[in-house]
Amino acid sequence: MLCYSRRRSCGTVVMLAFAVAPAALASPVARAAIDLDFATVVELSVKGGDVVLAERGVDEARAELVGADVWLTENPNVEVVAGPRATVENTFIPEAGAELSVPLEVYGQRGLRVDAASREVAARQALVADARRRVGGEALMAYLESLYTRELRVLAEERASVAAELLKATQLKRKAGDVGDVDVSLIALEDARARRATINAASEHERAVA
């Protein structure tokens, strides 16, 4: 609470007071100013940046797993021979032949390949989970900061409004002779401070939501 009091010679007391109640931190005005809830903020945050890159890494690892799971790592080779063949009697007879060769791996190589590719998929999935946790934490901090600075901005605006009304009332009392120039000057100073605090709070809020 900020409190100022001055007793005049005639016994009149002028008091300026501003109090911030704990319940004000949950003001409906501030809550209405937040367009997105936290769940939406997190959902949007995981659709870009590090999370997308990590998910692409998972897709690449899964493609490698598919390739590692095949039985044949090389294509079969087919050779075809056709043409006449000379005999001892100097005659020619037609001849044709075909040969199929299939490259085989050493036993167990496919299993080792699949195990290595599966471990890579698991590692990439762990990176995705880590990126989601990190981005979610960053989104939470940014969201809370935007709420906090918005509340401060609302409170500063309310304080400035009260100060402006009090200044007007004091100026009217000065015209009526109920208060002196010193009282008006002090309240005008508080009004200026409240307006400056409003500008600072607005700047902090804009920085938080940028």
Side-chain angles (χ1 to χ4, degrees), residues 19 22 25 59 61 72 93 106 115 120 135 137 145 153 158 161 168 186 200 209:
L25 294 178
D59 293 338
L72 297 178
I93 60 175
V106 177
D115 289 343
E120 182 65 19
V135 170
E145 184 178 6
R153 182 176 183 175
E158 292 175 351
S161 177
K168 291 179 181 179
L186 290 174
N200 293 338
V209 300

Side-chain angles (χ1 to χ4, degrees), residues 12-208:
T12 303
V13 177
V14 179
M15 178 176 290
L16 174 63
F18 292 97
V20 178
L25 294 178
S27 64
V29 177
R31 288 198 304 269
I34 304 300
D35 296 329
L36 301 177
D37 58 13
F38 177 61
T40 305
V41 171
V42 173
E43 180 181 356
L44 293 175
S45 66
V46 299
K47 291 183 178 180
D50 294 342
V51 176
V52 172
L53 293 177
E55 289 175 343
R56 289 177 182 174
V58 173
D59 293 338
E60 293 173 357
R62 285 173 176 166
E64 292 291 335
L65 176 60
V66 172
D69 195 38
V70 299
W71 285 95
L72 297 178
T73 58
E74 298 181 16
N75 294 326
N77 184 35
V78 178
E79 293 184 1
V80 178
V81 178
R85 181 172 64 88
T87 65
V88 294
E89 292 85 6
N90 291 325
T91 60
F92 295 91
I93 60 175
E95 184 180 54
E99 179 181 348
L100 173 64
S101 60
V102 180
L104 298 178
E105 291 183 329
V106 177
Y107 179 78
Q109 284 188 340
R110 174 180 169 275
L112 294 175
R113 257 196 339 269
V114 171
D115 289 343
S118 298
R119 286 194 297 269
E120 182 65 19
V121 171
R124 296 296 181 90
Q125 289 174 335
L127 291 178
V128 172
D130 181 69
R132 285 179 176 273
R133 285 192 296 268
R134 186 174 65 255
V135 170
E138 294 172 354
L140 173 61
M141 294 303 298
Y143 181 71
L144 293 179
E145 184 178 6
S146 69
L147 287 178
Y148 175 69
T149 55
R150 178 58 191 178
E151 292 288 352
L152 292 182
R153 182 176 183 175
V154 171
L155 292 175
E157 290 172 352
E158 292 175 351
R159 176 185 177 185
S161 177
V162 173
E165 292 298 325
L166 187 58
L167 178 59
K168 291 179 181 179
T170 306
Q171 289 172 338
L172 292 176
K173 289 183 178 182
R174 174 66 184 88
K175 291 180 179 180
D178 294 335
V179 298
D181 293 335
V182 174
D183 300 301
V184 176
S185 298
L186 290 174
I187 297 178
L189 177 61
E190 181 56 36
D191 176 67
R193 289 173 177 171
R195 285 186 283 109
R196 184 170 64 252
T198 300
I199 295 174
N200 293 338
S203 177
E204 286 297 315
H205 178 64
E206 294 299 330
R207 180 193 59 80

